[in-house]
Amino acid sequence: MNLKANNITFSYSKKRQILKDVSLSINNNEIIGLIGDSGSGKSTLCKILSGYITNYTGEVTMDNKAIPDKDFYPVQLIYQHPEKTMNPKWKMEKVLNESWTPTQELKDTFGLKDTWLTRWPNELSGGELQRFSILRALNPKTKFIIADEISTMLDAVTQVQIWEALIKHCKANNIGILAVSHDEELLEVICDDILHFDEINNL
Ligand SMILES: Nc1ncnc2c1ncn2[C@@H]1O[C@H](COP(=O)(O)OP(=O)(O)OP(=O)(O)O)[C@@H](O)[C@H]1O
Ligand SMILES: [Mg+2]
């Protein structure tokens, strides 16, 4: 399976173009890194790939076909700020089970503690919340993960733990990953290939 962006062009306003003719391709057995300057448009591209922005030109395809978006979008975004994606009025158990019910094994793999389930989002740390975001994105229908600076808020040990768990799960389930990070050393360790944003954006 293959996720492709073909000649994506996008601007938020007429004043400034953000993306011009951006193309990339990720296979479902690959981890592709994306690195580039702050404010250059990486998160914008992530939102396009995962269906959150739709008013772009060009196309995003899976196996050369339009991505089906009827009940579940198979390209799932994990975002730098997990708290912004969660309803503050929901306890973590409801937040976790919103998309699907992860197995106990998967909860253990990501070090998600049962005692966290009865808390509100504002009662957990960024790293604890990020484990919930990741598990939510690993719905069995997910084919690709767009990981947009998902470990920026974590200490080095936790960062390794979370990436190891995510990569293990994705390899076992044939899920491809686009990993956006400013941490080139991290990308060199985890990725099959690294794209430089200024080389794929033709502004
Ligand atoms: N909703 C929006 N409306 C208008 N402009 C936006 C919006 N979101 C982002 N931008 C602008 O688009 C540009 C690209 O933003 P984006 O978040 O994609 O950058 P980035 O490469 O992810 O940066 P960083 O590495 O800091 O995360 C920035 O100049 C930003 O200010
Ligand atoms: Mg960003």
Side-chain angles (χ1 to χ4, degrees):
M1 196 163 267
N2 176 275
L3 175 69
K4 271 195 194 127
N6 296 322
N7 298 100
I8 302 291
T9 295
F10 177 78
S11 4
Y12 288 105
S13 70
K14 284 189 185 129
K15 277 192 218 135
R16 182 181 159 215
Q17 194 166 29
I18 308 280
L19 305 175
K20 187 176 178 200
D21 282 334
V22 175
S23 298
L24 59 79
S25 170
I26 310 163
N27 289 324
N28 64 341
N29 58 355
E30 279 181 332
I31 303 171
I32 301 295
L34 179 62
I35 193 159
D37 293 343
S38 193
S40 57
K42 302 178 301 297
S43 294
T44 304
L45 179 63
C46 290
K47 287 176 191 158
I48 289 173
L49 292 171
S50 51
Y52 288 96
I53 293 176
T54 53
N55 58 335
Y56 57 88
T57 61
E59 44 176 24
V60 179
T61 60
M62 219 165 64
D63 289 344
N64 299 316
K65 289 186 222 106
I67 299 182
D69 62 354
K70 280 262 153 50
D71 53 7
F72 184 80
Y73 206 76
V75 184
Q76 285 284 304
L77 178 65
I78 308 172
Y79 184 60
Q80 178 178 357
H81 303 285
E83 69 284 357
K84 291 190 185 167
T85 66
M86 294 170 183
N87 186 334
K89 294 182 180 157
W90 286 7
K91 290 225 166 136
M92 292 314 296
E93 179 149 36
K94 189 167 175 187
V95 169
L96 179 65
N97 295 301
E98 186 180 9
S99 155
W100 74 296
T101 303
T103 59
Q104 189 59 46
E105 191 190 349
L106 208 52
K107 287 196 261 181
D108 292 342
T109 308
F110 282 90
L112 195 143
K113 299 204 177 85
D114 279 338
T115 54
W116 298 344
L117 294 171
T118 51
R119 298 195 201 163
W120 305 103
N122 69 1
E123 294 173 337
L124 291 174
S125 75
E128 289 162 356
L129 286 178
Q130 194 60 299
R131 295 163 208 250
F132 283 86
S133 288
I134 295 171
L135 280 183
R136 274 167 21 133
L138 295 178
N139 185 303
K141 294 179 193 158
T142 298
K143 306 288 183 224
F144 290 92
I145 288 284
I146 310 297
D148 188 8
E149 300 196 44
I150 64 168
S151 55
T152 314
M153 81 289 270
L154 306 174
D155 63 76
V157 173
T158 313
Q159 169 160 301
V160 169
Q161 255 176 12
I162 285 195
W163 269 110
E164 277 180 352
L166 182 58
I167 291 169
K168 185 175 157 214
H169 180 84
C170 289
K171 291 279 176 212
N173 292 277
N174 289 316
I175 298 170
I177 303 177
L178 179 70
V180 180
S181 177
H182 290 284
D183 186 344
E184 194 153 17
E185 276 177 39
L186 169 76
L187 293 183
E188 273 167 10
V189 172
I190 64 171
C191 295
D192 298 298
D193 194 11
I194 299 177
L195 303 172
H196 290 259
F197 193 70
D198 58 349
E199 289 170 14
I200 62 168
N201 196 12
N202 299 291
L203 277 179

